[in-house]
Amino acid sequence: MSVFPKDFLWGGAVAANQLEGAYNEDGKGLSIQDVMPQGIRGSRTEVPTEDNMKLIGIDFYHRYKEDIKLFAEMGFKVFRTSIAWSRIFPNGDETEPNEKGLQFYDDLFDECHKYGIEPLVTLSHYETPLHLSREYDGWVNRKMIGFYERYVRTVFERYKGKVRYWLTFNEINSILHAPFLSGGIYTPAEQLSEQDLYQAIHHEFVASALATKIGHEIMPEAKIGCMVLSMPTYPLTPSPDDVIQAMEDDHKNLCFADMHVRGEYPGYMKRYLREKGIEIHFEPGDEELLKNNTVDFLSFSYYMSTCATADKEKQAQGTGNLLGGVPNPTLKASEWGWQIDPKGLRYVLNQFYDRYQIPLFIVENGLGAVDELITDANGNKTVEDDYRIDYLRDHLLQVEEAIKDGVEIMGYTTWGCIDIVSASTAELKKRYGFIYVDRNDDGSGTLERYKKKSFDWYKNVIATNGESLHQ
Ligand code: BGP
């Protein structure tokens, strides 16, 4: 008997800027992604340049029907994507939306419903309109709340019958490490003061609570969640100093979830701000807004765990992981240095549920790997991606454990269910999909889609509601 609930939302996840392409079609304005040809690795450009893989992406803008059909064939119950803000408000500060942008998402959501697939929509996924970043310095500026409010009101009104599940900001805590990507903050990270950074974070908290409020007013049946990057932090040794270091590192991320679920700044965060001399400016009404508009569910990405140490020398040795910490000597890493830790997923699910007792949604998890396209015995092109199947199976078995622990989980969407451009490195060769897309980092490729071995594997997992994980 499957332990997954009957209505478990199985599916896949992507973000507009990583797959749509059509970066300047039908009235779309530029987003910060259009000037980030190397992701967060390199510097940004003044204008879009041809080496930026996101300008074409995988041409989902023109091929979405073919792709949704493949998702339906796998049995997806849910498809997570984002709305590119700059398709709806090209500069971000206009008063009237771009009808062609709105129409695109109408058509996309209709296509999902044609197959009984529920859209799960991220309102802001690393794609702030570039103009808002350059003119206003992104979320450092309180005016962003008003621009975001107009945008979310517009899309809530438009899609109220079509979208029930919404996320306000993708990986909202990533602003700590990538202020331009995550918060549209144009000031270079090394010049950004912590005062401005935390004020920007406050503006996002207020905007997120406001979106939750407006969303509930316009769509009483909708479920609105926050989305955080989860990365459990283990102490490197049993030394109490390492344990405390791990707790403090964890707090830096957990406070984003605490704010969304509890609606107020936690004590440990107030202490951090106080001791750093940071004073958050609250406008009248902010406190009540935050307190009265907490989220319906908590969603998160999970790729890796990390370790913390109080030993300064070891800290300086750095890490292969994305967000700091030091490597765990017991774990192996992916080709991109992300340490693989299926049990960390069970751990983090329990940690969140013990803390909040609200439904959880795993909206990103997966393995970025180099795939080799081969021709099988029947003459079909495919990828024998057993490593991806192993990764996903190992993680899903831990989701099962967490369900047995009593954790309430709404669903699971694998990241990059079709190959897309990487967020951190802007490469196409870092592939996550069940569907191979023939496009390479030098711009070559036909854009044809091919099913990988994992395609049928995931189809079977969904069809058996997880029972096939044990076969
Ligand atoms: C998360 C982002 C995604 C994404 C994923 C994988 O941080 O929300 O947008 O792409 O990580 O990262 P990458 O594409 O860098 O492998």
Side-chain angles (χ1 to χ4, degrees):
M1 267 295 281
S2 168
V3 303
F4 288 89
K6 262 206 212 71
D7 53 355
F8 193 76
L9 292 166
W10 295 98
V14 296
N17 71 88
Q18 292 174 252
L19 86 168
E20 284 178 3
Y23 81 103
N24 60 358
E25 278 182 51
D26 292 337
K28 180 181 172 296
L30 294 181
S31 90
I32 54 167
Q33 291 292 342
D34 299 322
V35 297
M36 296 181 78
Q38 298 185 309
I40 51 177
R41 288 176 308 170
S43 48
R44 59 190 175 218
T45 53
E46 275 307 304
V47 291
T49 49
E50 262 181 30
D51 59 339
N52 188 338
M53 289 295 124
K54 294 186 182 174
L55 305 188
I56 295 175
I58 59 159
D59 196 32
F60 182 77
Y61 192 74
H62 300 111
R63 295 170 190 245
Y64 67 90
K65 290 192 179 166
E66 181 190 342
D67 296 338
I68 302 290
K69 194 166 174 220
L70 287 166
F71 301 154
E73 195 183 324
M74 274 187 278
F76 279 21
K77 314 278 183 228
V78 65
F79 172 53
R80 174 181 177 227
T81 190
S82 63
I83 295 177
W85 187 346
S86 59
R87 281 198 197 286
I88 312 301
F89 289 97
N91 280 328
D93 57 0
E94 300 88 341
T95 49
E96 293 306 317
N98 171 33
E99 174 54 33
K100 283 193 173 156
L102 287 168
Q103 189 59 49
F104 170 70
Y105 293 104
D106 256 323
D107 297 344
L108 174 62
F109 301 147
D110 286 346
E111 198 64 21
C112 291
H113 285 297
K114 197 166 122 185
Y115 299 102
I117 299 174
E118 236 5 284
L120 163 63
V121 174
T122 318
L123 289 158
S124 180
H125 192 132
Y126 297 164
E127 50 213 356
T128 307
L130 183 59
H131 174 78
L132 295 184
S133 175
R134 283 194 177 142
E135 279 303 304
Y136 301 90
D137 210 13
W139 284 96
V140 170
N141 194 321
R142 188 161 175 117
K143 284 193 179 141
M144 285 293 282
I145 300 173
F147 301 140
Y148 182 80
E149 179 184 354
R150 188 177 301 143
Y151 158 62
V152 302
R153 201 179 273 287
T154 303
V155 296
F156 287 159
E157 285 289 358
R158 180 78 171 216
Y159 307 123
K160 57 183 167 205
K162 296 187 185 179
V163 179
R164 284 180 53 209
Y165 300 102
W166 298 88
L167 307 177
T168 53
F169 289 96
N170 180 62
E171 296 190 333
I172 185 163
N173 48 329
S174 63
I175 192 171
L176 293 174
H177 309 274
F180 179 59
L181 174 86
S182 181
I185 300 176
Y186 208 72
T187 301
E190 54 293 354
Q191 287 166 30
L192 183 66
S193 66
E194 270 210 282
Q195 172 67 45
D196 281 354
L197 176 64
Y198 276 93
Q199 189 63 48
I201 292 169
H202 179 73
H203 295 152
E204 286 199 338
F205 287 152
V206 171
S208 186
L210 189 58
T212 307
K213 176 173 187 284
I214 297 169
H216 284 147
E217 282 163 8
I218 297 178
M219 309 167 290
E221 73 297 345
K223 299 279 178 224
I224 303 175
C226 60
M227 196 304 200
V228 295
L229 184 164
S230 76
M231 194 180 65
T233 312
Y234 308 142
L236 185 65
T237 73
S239 134
D241 288 337
D242 283 4
V243 174
I244 292 295
Q245 185 69 47
M247 181 191 82
E248 288 181 349
D249 287 3
D250 237 4
H251 274 166
K252 289 212 178 93
N253 289 311
L254 280 171
C255 71
F256 289 80
D258 282 0
M259 284 299 298
H260 279 91
V261 182
R262 296 175 170 159
E264 58 192 18
Y265 280 78
Y268 62 82
M269 189 173 180
K270 286 187 189 153
R271 173 180 180 177
Y272 180 83
L273 297 173
R274 195 168 58 236
E275 291 182 356
K276 288 274 184 168
I278 299 167
E279 275 183 48
I280 303 292
H281 175 73
F282 275 65
E283 288 277 305
D286 283 3
E287 212 176 309
E288 297 71 28
L289 185 77
L290 291 167
K291 190 73 200 159
N292 297 333
N293 297 284
T294 54
V295 288
D296 300 315
F297 66 99
L298 168 69
S299 79
F300 63 92
S301 61
Y302 177 76
Y303 295 94
M304 66 194 114
S305 58
T306 190
C307 287
T309 171
D311 180 330
K312 297 273 177 260
E313 257 175 49
K314 285 196 191 131
Q315 277 176 3
Q317 286 166 10
T319 173
N321 280 332
L322 186 64
L323 299 185
V326 294
N328 186 326
T330 70
L331 297 175
K332 293 208 177 78
S334 78
E335 289 166 276
W336 273 264
W338 293 13
Q339 286 200 306
I340 300 170
D341 178 15
K343 288 186 178 146
L345 180 53
R346 176 182 177 190
Y347 177 84
V348 87
L349 281 161
N350 272 277
Q351 186 186 32
F352 282 141
Y353 200 68
D354 286 348
R355 211 171 167 95
Y356 307 124
Q357 289 91 43
I358 65 167
L360 306 178
F361 205 141
I362 305 149
V363 295
E364 284 187 32
N365 176 235
L367 178 70
V370 175
D371 287 340
E372 192 196 345
L373 192 64
I374 56 156
T375 305
D376 69 13
N378 305 321
N380 296 321
K381 287 192 175 164
T382 187
V383 176
E384 301 269 330
D385 56 345
D386 294 277
Y387 40 90
R388 182 167 293 110
I389 293 172
D390 291 345
Y391 178 102
L392 294 172
R393 182 195 293 110
D394 290 349
H395 283 77
L396 280 167
L397 288 172
Q398 295 302 318
V399 174
E400 220 182 57
E401 291 300 318
I403 294 172
K404 289 189 202 159
D405 292 330
V407 179
E408 198 183 337
I409 309 175
M410 295 164 70
Y412 174 87
T413 55
T414 64
W415 179 251
C417 45
I418 181 166
D419 292 346
I420 56 177
V421 186
S422 147
S424 59
T425 68
E427 291 167 303
L428 267 157
K429 71 165 188 264
K430 190 178 187 189
R431 297 173 182 273
Y432 286 84
F434 302 114
I435 301 161
Y436 184 94
V437 179
D438 182 16
R439 183 157 196 246
N440 307 303
D441 288 319
D442 60 5
S444 64
T446 59
L447 287 165
E448 283 297 299
R449 275 65 166 148
Y450 301 103
K451 295 175 193 171
K452 302 181 193 175
K453 186 174 177 184
S454 55
F455 184 100
D456 285 329
W457 174 83
Y458 195 46
K459 182 178 175 178
N460 202 21
V461 171
I462 299 176
T464 61
N465 204 26
E467 279 189 67
S468 66
L469 294 168
H470 296 278
Q471 283 160 14

